[in-house]
Amino acid sequence: MNEIIVAKFGGSSLADSAQFKKVKSIVTEDLRRKYIVPSAPGKRFKEDYKITDLLYLCHAHVEQNISFEEVFNIIEERYVGLVEELNLDLDIKNELNIVREKVKNGASKDYTASRGEYLNGLILAAYLDIPFVDPKELIYFNEKGVLDLEVTVKRVSEKLSSIERAVIPGFYGALENGDIKTFSRGGSDITGSIISRGVNAALYENWTDVSGFLMADPRIVDNPRNIEKITYKELRELSYMGATVLHEEAVFPVREAGIPINIKNTNSPEDKGTLIVSDDNFENKYNTITGVAGKKDFTVITIEKTMMNAEKGYCRRVLSILEDHNMAFEHMPSGIDNVSVIVSNSELNGKIEEILEEIRFKCKPDFIEVHGDMALIAVVGKVMKRNAGISAKLFNALYENDVNVRMITQGSSEINIIIGVENGDFEKALKVIYEAF
């Protein structure tokens, strides 16, 4: 019996008829690719529109009592063009008219946005000549709008046990009453992961327009090396700091089952891509870091108070002030008599003086210092856990290149080191770290 592969194809992989032909070639090349998860059509060229963006725009127009017909005509033209160019016997105009009427009559934002995947799924199923399965029958969100993974996996397993091959659109499922509910943007990655878990796949392939993850941002570092293998934990750390190829929530359904994810390039299917594997099954053969990623524009609020460590609940009071302002924090390094809270400038959004005043009133600090020009860089790799020389190599490289490190923090897992540098040193620091390893 062949092992099952679930293959998810992103918007760039299904943007036009030429891309559809590439997808068909990939799917038919390996008969283990039994369950195919498509996204909505993406951009065909730089100035083009993503179908999902246009659908959101249609919904916004209806809410504001503005005609959406001009926007919907662009959507219709894309789908009709696909069907004609692929020479399919599919009444896509009828499906489009159903969507048009429901949107006109006040369909929900989630229903409207989900139709991009739904329509693309119908076309791909017809083109591959395999059954179409609507994910509203499989993916269950509870009354709070939260995915119920246990119920969903059971539904997927039961439904697909009698369907050998299928196209299952990504991005959405349904509430108990049948109303459509979507994941966050990029959520087709999550759908593919859920289907993989439900059918106990041997592999989850995620096809996109890049050949996997790179060790560093190619916009900053010239020709960074491709990451051949990475663990789930390492991926989470890099994704959190901006290395986005895969939706960060997509790892959870497959992680527990130990199903590997392979990031592949639809336009270069011969490339190995990046294989994401179980945390226990992989050692870095290069004996170096796995990757480096980072983001700019953070503010550091440093609070000092003598005997802070002996004052129960002190840090809780600091964090409760942020919570009251609906703000998240990134990191919280501390000493005996001081604690620093690192917050994204986008979270602060002009609230800094109000927050400082509340800290002074509720926490009675001896001193507060604010630094608003910080960038954070994550250096990630399981190898750091057993190799003391990694940290020395990292900080020596920064020192030799005159990069001032303003903050250092390391998690207990020891697979990452977070360093804080000035915004102006961000690009230089990334290059220096990459070149050192």
Side-chain angles (χ1 to χ4, degrees):
M1 182 178 179
N2 287 333
E3 295 180 318
I4 295 172
I5 295 176
V6 173
K8 178 262 175 181
F9 291 91
S12 60
S13 299
L14 294 165
D16 57 29
S17 59
Q19 292 299 103
F20 265 74
K21 292 173 183 177
K22 293 178 185 178
V23 167
K24 185 172 185 178
S25 176
I26 289 167
V27 171
T28 56
E29 180 184 57
D30 190 336
L31 295 180
R32 295 177 300 168
R33 294 183 177 119
K34 295 185 180 297
Y35 301 106
I36 314 303
V37 178
S39 294
K43 291 184 177 183
R44 297 162 293 184
F45 44 87
K46 187 176 181 181
E47 295 79 17
D48 199 16
Y49 302 101
K50 293 181 178 180
I51 289 295
T52 303
D53 289 339
L54 294 175
L55 287 165
Y56 276 126
L57 187 58
C58 285
H59 182 266
H61 280 194
V62 172
E63 281 197 321
Q64 297 169 32
N65 292 317
I66 301 172
S67 173
F68 70 96
E69 291 296 335
E70 186 176 344
V71 178
F72 197 86
N73 287 342
I74 298 172
I75 297 170
E76 183 174 51
E77 183 181 328
R78 285 282 295 276
Y79 284 116
V80 170
L82 278 171
V83 169
E84 290 177 350
E85 290 167 23
L86 296 172
N87 196 28
L88 299 176
D89 183 19
L90 176 65
D91 190 1
I92 196 67
K93 287 188 177 181
N94 180 59
E95 294 289 346
L96 283 158
N97 286 334
I98 292 171
V99 174
R100 188 197 305 266
E101 285 303 309
K102 287 190 175 182
V103 173
K104 184 187 297 183
N105 292 324
S108 71
K109 186 176 183 179
D110 282 18
Y111 169 85
T112 304
S114 73
R115 296 305 87 181
E117 278 73 14
Y118 172 80
L119 294 167
N120 227 27
L122 291 175
I123 295 171
L124 185 59
Y127 187 49
L128 297 176
D129 193 25
I130 60 178
F132 172 90
V133 175
D134 197 326
K136 73 178 184 180
E137 301 173 15
L138 305 176
I139 297 177
Y140 171 68
F141 293 87
N142 64 25
E143 66 278 1
K144 295 181 180 179
V146 177
L147 173 71
D148 189 320
L149 185 59
E150 184 178 348
V151 171
T152 295
V153 168
K154 185 178 179 182
R155 284 184 177 182
V156 171
S157 180
E158 291 175 351
K159 177 76 173 178
L160 298 184
S161 64
S162 60
I163 303 174
E164 185 179 359
R165 305 187 74 202
V167 169
I168 307 156
F171 187 42
Y172 73 95
L175 300 165
E176 190 170 3
N177 64 5
D179 288 348
I180 297 298
K181 172 68 179 170
T182 62
F183 293 107
S184 58
R185 288 299 293 267
S188 291
D189 290 343
I190 306 173
T191 304
S193 186
I194 291 168
I195 300 301
S196 299
R197 173 80 173 272
V199 301
N200 194 26
L203 179 66
Y204 169 32
E205 292 180 335
N206 192 290
W207 292 84
T208 181
D209 56 1
V210 295
S211 296
F213 285 87
L214 300 173
M215 280 189 68
D217 189 337
R219 294 169 297 184
I220 298 173
V221 174
D222 292 334
N223 299 314
R225 179 195 290 170
N226 180 260
I227 301 173
E228 292 184 9
K229 283 188 179 182
I230 187 171
T231 66
Y232 294 124
K233 286 181 180 177
E234 290 172 319
L235 173 67
R236 283 280 294 160
E237 295 290 346
L238 288 173
S239 296
Y240 172 69
M241 291 303 290
T244 53
V245 173
L246 181 75
H247 193 295
E248 62 179 18
E249 295 177 29
V251 301
F252 296 120
V254 294
R255 180 175 179 171
E256 187 176 328
I259 299 169
I261 304 173
N262 199 3
I263 308 296
K264 297 277 285 180
N265 190 340
T266 305
N267 301 315
S268 299
E270 68 282 358
D271 292 351
K272 287 183 178 180
T274 297
L275 191 66
I276 306 165
V277 298
S278 168
D279 301 312
D280 300 324
N281 292 342
F282 172 61
E283 288 297 330
N284 189 325
K285 68 181 181 181
Y286 296 109
N287 199 36
T288 184
I289 64 170
T290 299
V292 55
K295 294 186 283 191
K296 286 183 173 182
D297 299 324
F298 292 92
T299 291
V300 183
I301 303 172
T302 300
I303 303 162
E304 293 186 10
K305 186 173 185 182
T306 302
M307 299 297 290
M308 179 188 291
N309 65 315
E311 189 170 336
K312 293 179 175 63
Y314 197 90
C315 290
R316 177 188 56 78
R317 291 201 298 277
V318 173
L319 294 181
S320 69
I321 293 169
L322 299 183
E323 184 180 359
D324 290 343
H325 287 272
N326 195 32
M327 290 170 51
F329 72 99
E330 303 291 327
H331 295 280
M332 196 176 184
S334 63
I336 295 175
D337 293 327
N338 65 79
V339 63
S340 295
V341 181
I342 302 168
V343 183
S344 170
N345 290 354
S346 60
E347 287 277 331
L348 279 172
N349 195 24
K351 301 176 183 176
I352 185 65
E353 290 303 327
E354 186 178 351
I355 288 167
L356 293 178
E357 188 59 36
E358 287 193 35
I359 291 173
R360 292 186 185 101
F361 177 72
K362 294 181 179 180
C363 302
K364 305 294 190 295
D366 297 331
F367 178 73
I368 299 180
E369 180 182 24
V370 177
H371 184 76
D373 193 34
M374 179 80 83
L376 298 180
I377 298 173
V379 184
V380 178
K382 280 187 70 177
V383 71
M384 290 193 289
K385 197 168 185 176
R386 56 176 172 78
N387 191 333
I390 294 291
S391 296
K393 193 173 185 179
L394 166 65
F395 293 112
N396 189 56
L398 294 169
Y399 164 74
E400 289 180 348
N401 287 274
D402 297 319
V403 176
N404 182 34
V405 177
R406 293 186 56 88
M407 183 207 77
I408 305 167
T409 182
Q410 183 174 30
S412 58
S413 66
E414 298 183 50
I415 68 165
N416 75 322
I417 296 174
I418 305 291
I419 61 172
V421 300
E422 301 285 344
N423 272 341
D425 285 333
F426 176 68
E427 287 83 3
K428 181 181 180 181
L430 272 178
K431 290 177 182 178
V432 165
I433 293 167
Y434 177 81
E435 288 166 6
F437 291 97

